[in-house]
Amino acid sequence: MSKLLLHGGKRLNGEIEISAAKNSYLPILAASVLCEEKIILHNYPCYTDTENMCEILKSLGAKIEKNNDNLVIDASSLSEYSIESALAGQVRSSIFMLGALLGRFKKAKVAYPGGCEIGARPIDIHLSGFRRLGVKVEEKHGFILCDAKNMTSASLLLEFPSVGATESLMMASVLTSGQTKILNAAQEPEIVDLQNFLNKMGADVRGAGTSEIVINGVKKLHGCEFSPIKDRIIAGTYLIATAMCGGDVLIKGVNFHYLQAIVDKLDKTACLISHKNDKIRVISDGKPKAFGKIETAVYPGVPTDLQAQLMALATICEGSSMIVENVFESRFKHVPELIKMGADIHVKDRVSVVHGVKHLYGAPVTGLELRGTASLVLAGLVAEGYTIVSGVKHIDRGYHRIEEELSGLGADIRRIED
Ligand code: UD1
């Protein structure tokens, strides 16, 4: 089993090119089965989640080749519309396959999805949207069975702007005749990316990035080449890492505006952040001030996927910070581990209060989910002495060899095998 061994105290300096976004790649991979021609996706990132999603596509009969950084997907001979639990349990995004398979075959059978343990993560908004589109949905023996032979267009008002539900419903309706509207849609940049990909295949989708998405059904989609956007959460993680460690880092490839909410908070910690085109430069003296209060929210608010990393930062800031987790109900699993390293954190329900300490101390700690494990790595970068982070399989779901990227910036971090 892999672990990460860190010796804290190094400043970060240099440049880093950010990989493609996991949360764009996953729905785009699912959507590629809507089309019977070849799809070429650029800058394929080898995260465990994207690898597992490729396995799901292969299990359905798609042919996938890796050609340098490109992924070539040929779903012309797709024969299956059923995903077993061993595969679906590996990655929560298997739920996207429901929408995509309904579009392609008008039927789908998918085992309940897996993914990070950050709360109940129900799928009721996905399923009630399908039902509004006329899909017969049954939940039996751990599977969701959908029959879409009577699927029609409809106007769908989401009870909450769920990212996954917005994407599932976009995929289900692109090949359904008539006009479907998704109201109170999620507005994340990855939704815009999915719209751009669907349109590149010949779909007619408008409005992504606003709360109303309009899909005019088309008869058929065609092959295309597409470059998914870069990962704003990885970029945000390295911005925060630099704020903590001190140094001067140029982060390349990510649209600055996607990170505005984070930059506004980091400004308060006394980092200097500037940007030009898709390059963001962060300079820090490594003595951050507390950022005050942060509440996670849907885009363009502070992303829940950066909450744990911001908490790692708060532990060493001068002063106290408050972090409110509004999106998921159980996303403070990193707190006991940060406390083991000397952090002063108090949690009640969805609110945590963090009093900054002068030093964290290295300790053996265990990550229990993706972003929480990233926060432990950040804490290890500044802790006195050695930190060993277990649970690395979680971080590998959404960062490709984080130890290589951070050591490229000067951190003392390496992967060790047990
Ligand atoms: C996506 C991201 C994840 C991010 C999250 C919020 C991907 C692959 N994952 O996850 O990294 O943390 O958005 O930005 O893109 N909910 C329901 N019923 C539903 C669906 C969701 O109650 O049917 C609730 C969830 O439990 C959660 C909230 O809505 O409390 C947000 O979930 P959602 O936006 O759907 O997140 P995901 O798509 O799972």
Side-chain angles (χ1 to χ4, degrees):
M1 218 190 305
S2 296
K3 293 181 176 172
L4 292 172
L5 172 66
L6 296 101
H7 189 217
K10 297 279 191 295
R11 290 171 80 81
L12 303 183
N13 285 295
E15 298 186 1
I16 184 156
E17 184 78 45
I18 300 298
S19 312
K22 168 178 91 69
N23 290 353
S24 267
Y25 241 96
L26 290 171
I28 285 172
L29 281 170
S32 65
V33 308
L34 286 163
C35 152
E36 294 179 39
E37 294 174 20
K38 243 180 213 168
I39 301 288
I40 301 175
L41 299 177
H42 301 157
N43 305 318
Y44 175 70
C46 273
Y47 311 129
T48 325
D49 267 10
T50 49
E51 291 286 271
N52 283 332
M53 197 65 173
C54 286
E55 289 309 312
I56 288 179
L57 295 190
K58 285 188 204 160
S59 77
L60 297 170
K63 294 190 186 80
I64 300 190
E65 273 172 42
K66 285 180 195 153
N67 191 345
N68 299 320
D69 276 356
N70 291 338
L71 197 70
V72 183
I73 304 160
D74 177 355
S76 57
S77 53
L78 212 68
S79 47
E80 267 294 327
Y81 57 88
S82 167
I83 301 172
E84 297 304 315
S85 62
L87 279 170
Q90 300 288 325
V91 49
R92 178 173 162 80
S93 303
S94 52
I95 189 66
F96 296 138
M97 293 310 305
L98 269 183
L101 289 169
L102 289 181
R104 173 83 183 254
F105 290 120
K106 304 289 175 230
K107 55 185 171 181
K109 179 181 169 194
V110 176
Y112 275 97
C116 265
E117 293 302 324
I118 51 177
R121 302 193 84 171
I123 50 169
D124 54 315
I125 305 175
H126 302 241
L127 301 187
S128 70
F130 291 149
R131 288 190 174 107
R132 286 271 303 127
L133 290 170
V135 178
K136 190 172 152 219
V137 181
E138 283 183 293
E139 296 175 71
K140 270 209 288 214
H141 312 303
F143 280 89
I144 306 149
L145 296 113
C146 294
D147 178 347
K149 63 175 178 293
N150 297 321
M151 186 153 69
T152 52
S153 53
S155 197
L156 311 168
L157 173 62
L158 306 190
E159 176 188 318
F160 176 87
S162 152
V163 174
T166 302
E167 292 168 337
S168 286
L169 296 167
M170 284 165 79
M171 290 185 239
S173 48
V174 280
L175 291 171
T176 303
S177 64
Q179 186 176 79
T180 292
K181 281 189 182 169
I182 306 176
L183 308 173
N184 195 26
Q187 301 179 35
E188 271 66 5
E190 293 77 17
I191 308 247
V192 179
D193 218 27
L194 177 62
Q195 167 180 281
N196 291 342
F197 174 64
L198 291 168
N199 287 345
K200 199 123 194 241
M201 290 196 294
D204 181 356
V205 185
R206 291 158 211 206
T210 74
S211 62
E212 181 173 332
I213 299 177
V214 179
I215 301 130
N216 292 305
V218 296
K219 286 221 155 60
K220 213 172 159 51
L221 298 176
H222 54 72
C224 72
E225 285 200 31
F226 191 75
S227 300
I229 56 170
K230 301 293 174 68
D231 199 300
R232 63 193 165 100
I233 304 302
I234 297 180
T237 303
Y238 295 149
L239 277 177
I240 296 168
T242 313
M244 292 173 74
C245 296
D248 182 349
V249 171
L250 189 69
I251 292 168
K252 300 199 284 190
V254 174
N255 184 330
F256 173 80
H257 300 290
Y258 296 164
L259 286 159
Q260 190 70 59
I262 287 298
V263 169
D264 290 350
K265 294 298 170 188
L266 291 181
D267 274 347
K268 298 199 168 124
T269 68
C271 291
L272 282 177
I273 300 181
S274 55
H275 70 101
K276 196 170 180 196
N277 304 322
D278 66 350
K279 296 187 182 67
I280 307 172
R281 183 174 179 195
V282 52
I283 301 175
S284 158
D285 64 2
K287 294 183 187 128
K289 309 251 178 309
F291 46 68
K293 183 178 177 189
I294 279 182
E295 294 205 39
T296 63
V298 295
Y299 188 81
V302 173
T304 172
D305 284 353
L306 285 172
Q307 176 260 110
Q309 300 89 317
L310 285 164
M311 188 177 293
L313 166 62
T315 64
I316 55 145
C317 281
E318 184 192 322
S320 301
S321 311
M322 180 188 273
I323 299 178
V324 184
E325 174 54 61
N326 286 320
V327 181
F328 289 104
E329 83 272 25
S330 177
R331 212 171 192 185
F332 283 143
K333 290 192 170 152
H334 42 285
V335 169
E337 300 303 289
L338 290 172
I339 290 174
K340 273 189 203 161
M341 299 176 74
D344 182 355
I345 308 173
H346 304 265
V347 175
K348 183 146 191 349
D349 304 324
R350 289 174 177 238
V351 180
S352 67
V353 174
V354 187
H355 303 296
V357 293
K358 277 220 164 66
H359 301 288
L360 294 176
Y361 300 97
V365 286
T366 303
L368 297 172
E369 48 90 13
L370 167 55
R371 309 300 173 185
T373 313
S375 80
L376 301 179
V377 168
L378 297 192
L381 291 177
V382 293
E384 282 186 358
Y386 287 94
T387 298
I388 297 176
V389 180
S390 306
V392 172
K393 67 173 188 201
H394 298 293
I395 211 164
D396 289 341
R397 289 188 40 221
Y399 296 79
H400 182 57
R401 296 212 156 263
I402 191 169
E403 70 280 12
E404 288 176 11
E405 297 198 320
L406 285 170
S407 55
L409 295 174
D412 187 345
I413 173 171
R414 63 193 163 92
R415 190 174 288 245
I416 51 174
E417 303 299 330
D418 244 3

